[in-house]
Amino acid sequence: MIAPPSSLPTLRLKPKAEARRLRHGAPWAWADELVLDRRSRAIPAGALAILEDADRRPVGVGVATVEAKIAFRMLDRDATALIDADWLRARIGAALDLRQKLFDAPYYRLVHAEGDALPGLIVDRFGETLVIQPNAIWLEERLGMLSEILADLTGCTTLIKNGSGRARAAEGLAEETAVLRGAAPEGPIPVPMNGAIYMADVMAGQKTGLFYDQRFNHGVAARLAREARVLDVFSHVGGFALACLAGGATGALAVDASEPALDLALAGARAMGRAADLATRRGDAFAVMEALEQEGESFDLVIADPPAFAPSKPALEKGLRAYERVARLAAPLVAPGGVLILCSCSHAADLGKFRAACLRGIGRAGRVPRLIHTGFAGPDHPQHPDLSETGYLKVLAFRLLP
């Protein structure tokens, strides 16, 4: 069926491109799948466009970026859909409804880009404060509309734009942080999760100020931490360490290269009344782990949650070697019968490759593992089944045999 005439420009798939893939839910069309002539190349980056198959039948409406590798991002498979304030309100409202069913308190990722059918949009909620990452031109152009909808639906009084990261740079967007509504928080925002209290610096912290994706894996670690001595490497603001203290750990050591992040971890421990039980060590994680082994240190539970070592396919082999090295250096620090938790937030390293790298590292350390838990991001980070980028987080917990 041919759609009614539209004022939007059109992009057409090549005859050999698989339109069925997009009709069945795939979110992107690649540049080499499209007929890119003078007309289509004149479509401004970030403009709305209709995608057609090779027979000019409509496939959907979305965002065109024809000079980029990802040339089209699907917004709606109904090519007649009007992408206006009502459309945005419906999508954001659906995302909010899911989170309100999942969580008793307003601390969560509210919008997870393609996972919530809103390409490029990240929104994290910290009580009455929202931090918005509009990582695409089409969102930047509608930021005022988005802010109004988000404030109206959530009742949040403070909205902050976090305009940082590789995604914005790829779209040619400026890096900036700005208060869109309300006033900037006077200090870090306390965030309760898993019985712990985290301090989120939403103005100057990493990403939006806190990583919500590990919430459920923090809970697993907390249950394993009863009466345990814990080492949290690449700790950031104390993600695993504070959860483990809340779960009954006798003490925890948080290791990170960032002194401001470790200061926030200590502030969280103080808010929990456990400041005396959290130690910090600033430095390169690899060097610190080597030093801890030389010092004869041993822990009942060791967690390593590094940054993305393989953020893209060209970086995959180097990244896998880094994950193997993390496992090799962390495993000797685990007491006999203790647990080692290893994490990857690299979408280019799938679960199988990451697990293999971890096992190589543990084996090189002379330890014998048993896998007891495989974790992913929580349900406020929904995965798009056709997009590995939305399922980036992998967590493996190994018991190391005595």
Side-chain angles (χ1 to χ4, degrees):
M1 178 179 176
I2 303 297
S6 170
S7 61
L8 297 178
T10 59
L11 289 170
R12 191 167 78 255
L13 291 167
K14 293 177 179 177
K16 291 185 179 180
E18 191 178 356
R20 183 185 303 174
R21 178 179 66 86
L22 288 145
R23 293 188 194 280
H24 289 178
W28 296 346
W30 305 95
D32 59 7
E33 294 181 298
L34 299 179
V35 176
L36 296 179
D37 52 20
R38 182 182 301 176
R39 178 193 56 79
S40 59
R41 290 186 184 279
I43 300 173
L48 296 177
I50 302 295
L51 181 67
E52 298 177 338
D53 64 18
D55 297 320
R56 296 193 178 277
R57 292 174 296 192
V59 177
V61 60
V63 181
T65 48
V66 295
E67 298 300 329
K69 186 177 180 182
I70 303 168
F72 179 86
R73 286 175 167 84
M74 186 74 75
L75 292 180
D76 202 306
R77 293 202 299 277
D78 176 3
T80 66
L82 182 62
I83 310 302
D84 60 3
D86 289 339
W87 185 92
L88 285 167
R89 178 180 287 272
R91 290 286 167 96
I92 294 171
L96 176 61
D97 180 65
L98 173 64
R99 276 66 177 185
Q100 289 177 332
K101 289 174 179 174
L102 290 169
F103 303 108
D104 295 328
Y107 301 93
Y108 43 70
R109 172 149 292 182
L110 173 55
V111 179
H112 188 54
E114 277 87 350
D116 285 298
L118 286 162
L121 181 61
I122 298 294
V123 183
D124 281 350
R125 183 171 187 176
F126 303 91
E128 299 305 309
T129 298
L130 297 179
V131 180
I132 306 167
Q133 288 187 310
N135 293 328
I137 296 171
W138 81 279
L139 295 164
E140 189 77 16
E141 293 174 343
R142 294 164 175 80
L143 188 55
M145 182 192 300
L146 276 168
S147 299
E148 191 170 328
I149 293 168
L150 283 163
D152 184 50
L153 287 175
T154 64
C156 288
T157 54
T158 300
L159 275 67
I160 297 165
K161 173 187 176 181
N162 181 310
S164 62
R166 288 191 301 266
R168 282 181 64 86
E171 295 264 325
L173 296 170
E175 184 168 317
E176 61 179 352
T177 297
V179 178
L180 304 175
R181 184 178 292 235
E186 295 181 359
I189 298 173
V191 176
M193 287 193 298
N194 291 308
I197 298 175
Y198 298 91
M199 294 296 177
D201 184 351
V202 299
M203 296 302 296
Q206 192 174 351
K207 300 287 187 177
T208 63
L210 194 67
F211 296 107
Y212 281 126
D213 52 1
Q214 287 280 26
R215 180 197 314 250
F216 286 82
N217 300 307
H218 288 165
V220 172
R223 288 192 289 276
L224 292 167
R226 296 186 188 113
E227 302 299 321
R229 187 163 180 253
V230 176
L231 172 63
D232 182 8
V233 187
F234 305 99
S235 181
H236 189 228
V237 298
F240 279 95
L242 296 180
C244 289
L245 288 176
T250 57
L253 172 61
V255 175
D256 203 89
S258 169
E259 188 170 352
L262 291 175
D263 288 343
L264 289 170
L266 287 168
R270 284 194 296 273
M272 296 165 56
R274 298 294 303 273
D277 300 318
L278 179 68
T280 64
R281 189 155 170 173
R282 179 175 177 267
D284 173 79
F286 296 99
V288 171
M289 285 191 287
E290 289 175 337
L292 288 171
E293 183 180 10
Q294 292 170 1
E295 295 163 14
E297 291 283 5
S298 180
F299 302 84
D300 305 296
L301 174 61
V302 175
I303 307 106
D305 185 12
F309 289 142
S312 62
K313 287 184 179 179
L316 178 59
E317 291 306 315
K318 182 178 179 181
L320 290 173
R321 288 195 297 272
Y323 288 123
E324 180 181 337
R325 186 181 176 207
V326 169
R328 178 174 59 82
L329 294 176
L333 300 174
V334 181
V339 173
L340 173 62
I341 298 178
L342 300 170
C343 311
S344 166
C345 58
S346 298
H347 73 82
D350 66 25
L351 179 60
K353 291 184 175 66
F354 173 59
R355 184 171 54 224
C358 293
L359 290 172
R360 286 194 300 272
I362 294 170
R364 288 180 62 194
R367 302 301 298 271
V368 179
R370 293 293 184 270
L371 183 64
I372 61 173
H373 171 72
T374 300
F376 304 96
D380 55 344
H381 291 63
Q383 296 185 29
H384 190 299
D386 288 298
L387 195 61
S388 63
E389 284 82 350
T390 59
Y392 60 94
L393 183 64
K394 285 83 59 179
V395 177
L396 300 173
F398 299 95
R399 181 172 181 265
L400 303 189
L401 299 186

